[in-house]
Amino acid sequence: MKRIAVLTSGGDAPGMNAAIRSVVRVGYVRGVKVIGIYRGYRGLLEKDFRQMLPRDVSGILEKGGTVLKTSRTIEFKEEKKQLRAIKNMKEKGIEGLIVVGGNGSQAGSLALFKKGFPTIGIASTIDNDLWGMDYTIGFDTAVNTAIDAIDKIRDTAESHDRTFIVEVMGRDAGFIAMDAGIAGGADIILVPEVKFNINEIVDDIKNGMKKKKMHHLIVCAEGAIHARDLGKIIQERITIDTRVAVLGHIQRGGSPTRFDRLLASALGEKAVDALLDKEKGKIVGIKSNKIVLIPLEQAVTKKKKLNLKLYKLARELSV
Ligand code: F6P
């Protein structure tokens, strides 16, 4: 392979830049031309291509976001768009594509592979919901951002004897809520994977108050319940001062942690080497501290399970 391309797609994640930098520089060292595709699959359809050299990725390791920009290109699900993308790459002499992104983005990569184009994925999403691996790029930074916010909210919750509901990201997955909830000392954690009963939440708070616990902290994933809705219910059922904080997109930005920078650098190298070794239709990730290659089909279609032991621990710690 003499020419490969890289794009970032879907929701951005801190560490994507570190992955781009690694792909560009390792590609250069291995003697292949690396083409950056801007704005994800949209740029692939609109031929927004630029060659990237080692100096083009200087000063981005510590930056959040993605210098290649990103998009959610819903129409890429259409077969004719996928065929056009392959045609665009072939016209430019591109022989392999590295897709940095989460579930939806890797589904696009899988579609291109099934149409005969060599692709390798790099697992990157703050949601951490890709099957077959322990962590995705951006998750660690997002969780640390959430913990920082929860710590600050606790200060004011405690001072005012208030109940706070902190909503974190995760439409379908509770990985951020679980980790940030436990590390932030939440009393109750709500995730999409585990059914919950509002009456039990209300009882928990009432029992806490009986035990002289005057402030409570609930961390919920956006996919479990919206903080505003839960806040209203709690306020109606118990006469306590309740406030809500929706952390939203601050979890997607900021300088990547040491872990995300190291992970992104290692995955970038592995992705380039995989393509050069004629691997395709796979995604690189980290499993039990080893960099592994997993078939895209499995990573995209299988549902990654939340560690329910952590759920039990969270309950025990909030006694
Ligand atoms: O990238 C994943 C994610 O951050 C989810 O946790 C969240 O539900 C979604 O993206 C938000 O997407 P958007 O930025 O397109 O509104």
Side-chain angles (χ1 to χ4, degrees):
M1 242 177 229
K2 285 273 154 261
R3 191 178 288 219
I4 63 172
V6 57
L7 62 79
T8 51
S9 162
D12 57 354
M16 275 184 164
N17 278 329
I20 297 167
R21 172 178 177 270
S22 176
V23 168
V24 169
R25 292 194 172 168
V26 171
Y28 181 83
V29 171
R30 305 282 188 271
V32 283
K33 273 199 175 136
V34 180
I35 310 296
I37 297 174
Y38 285 74
R39 298 177 293 122
Y41 290 114
R42 192 168 312 288
L44 183 51
L45 294 171
E46 293 171 6
K47 298 190 203 170
D48 199 353
F49 301 163
R50 266 166 264 177
Q51 189 187 342
M52 298 184 92
L53 292 166
R55 296 285 71 74
D56 295 327
V57 289
S58 292
I60 67 168
L61 175 68
E62 69 278 25
K63 291 208 165 77
T66 159
V67 291
L68 283 179
K69 297 188 179 283
T70 184
S71 63
R72 295 199 191 274
T73 316
I74 307 299
E75 68 269 27
F76 201 73
K77 287 188 178 145
E78 294 168 30
E79 208 176 317
K80 63 171 197 271
K81 296 279 159 66
Q82 296 160 6
L83 291 171
R84 197 206 296 168
I86 292 175
K87 185 169 161 276
N88 288 350
M89 284 191 282
K90 284 192 172 162
E91 265 175 26
K92 292 278 176 203
I94 296 167
E95 297 165 274
L97 173 68
I98 294 173
V99 172
V100 187
N103 222 297
S105 310
Q106 302 305 341
S109 172
L110 177 62
L112 294 175
F113 163 66
K114 283 186 171 169
K115 294 201 159 32
F117 197 85
T119 60
I120 290 287
I122 293 183
S124 178
T125 162
I126 65 159
D127 289 345
N128 197 26
D129 58 350
L130 275 161
W131 183 89
M133 57 200 76
D134 296 330
Y135 299 111
T136 53
I137 298 169
F139 173 69
D140 187 62
T141 309
V143 169
N144 279 303
T145 300
I147 293 169
D148 186 47
I150 292 168
D151 288 349
K152 286 174 177 148
I153 286 167
R154 180 182 294 288
D155 289 345
T156 174
E158 210 171 333
S159 304
H160 285 264
D161 286 342
R162 279 175 173 159
T163 291
F164 258 89
I165 302 150
V166 182
E167 181 180 312
V168 297
M169 276 188 163
R171 255 187 311 227
D172 310 305
F175 295 97
I176 297 179
M178 185 62 80
D179 277 26
I182 292 179
D187 300 294
I188 298 169
I189 301 171
L190 303 173
V191 292
E193 293 89 339
V194 182
K195 275 200 187 129
F196 60 89
N197 181 331
I198 301 268
N199 296 329
E200 281 174 16
I201 297 173
V202 170
D203 286 347
D204 272 0
I205 297 173
K206 281 185 181 163
N207 288 334
M209 288 167 75
K210 276 186 206 148
K211 289 186 271 177
K212 303 253 178 299
K213 195 173 191 174
M214 299 319 288
H215 71 277
H216 289 85
L217 224 136
I218 302 174
V219 172
C220 67
E222 60 181 332
I225 187 166
H226 284 296
R228 246 170 256 291
D229 300 336
L230 183 58
K232 260 192 213 142
I233 299 172
I234 292 175
Q235 189 96 56
E236 276 164 20
R237 302 250 200 115
I238 327 171
T239 41
I240 44 164
D241 217 1
T242 305
R243 293 289 188 277
V244 157
V246 179
L247 301 190
H249 287 78
I250 64 158
Q251 293 158 98
R252 286 246 297 264
S255 184
T257 57
R258 157 229 169 239
F259 181 83
D260 279 330
R261 293 181 199 195
L262 287 175
L263 179 63
S265 303
L267 295 188
E269 179 194 45
K270 182 71 179 176
V272 171
D273 286 338
L275 270 183
L276 297 182
D277 286 347
K278 301 197 174 16
E279 292 280 7
K280 47 194 155 182
K282 296 195 174 156
I283 179 166
V284 292
I286 188 163
K287 178 92 191 155
S288 306
N289 227 11
K290 287 203 171 67
I291 304 299
V292 291
L293 269 174
I294 299 153
L296 268 172
E297 180 88 57
Q298 291 184 15
V300 163
T301 56
K302 289 191 174 182
K303 172 108 178 121
K304 181 172 174 180
K305 290 206 176 93
L306 196 67
N307 182 355
L308 292 180
K309 281 190 189 152
L310 283 181
Y311 201 76
K312 187 171 156 272
L313 172 65
R315 298 290 302 158
E316 287 166 352
L317 292 178
S318 70
V319 66

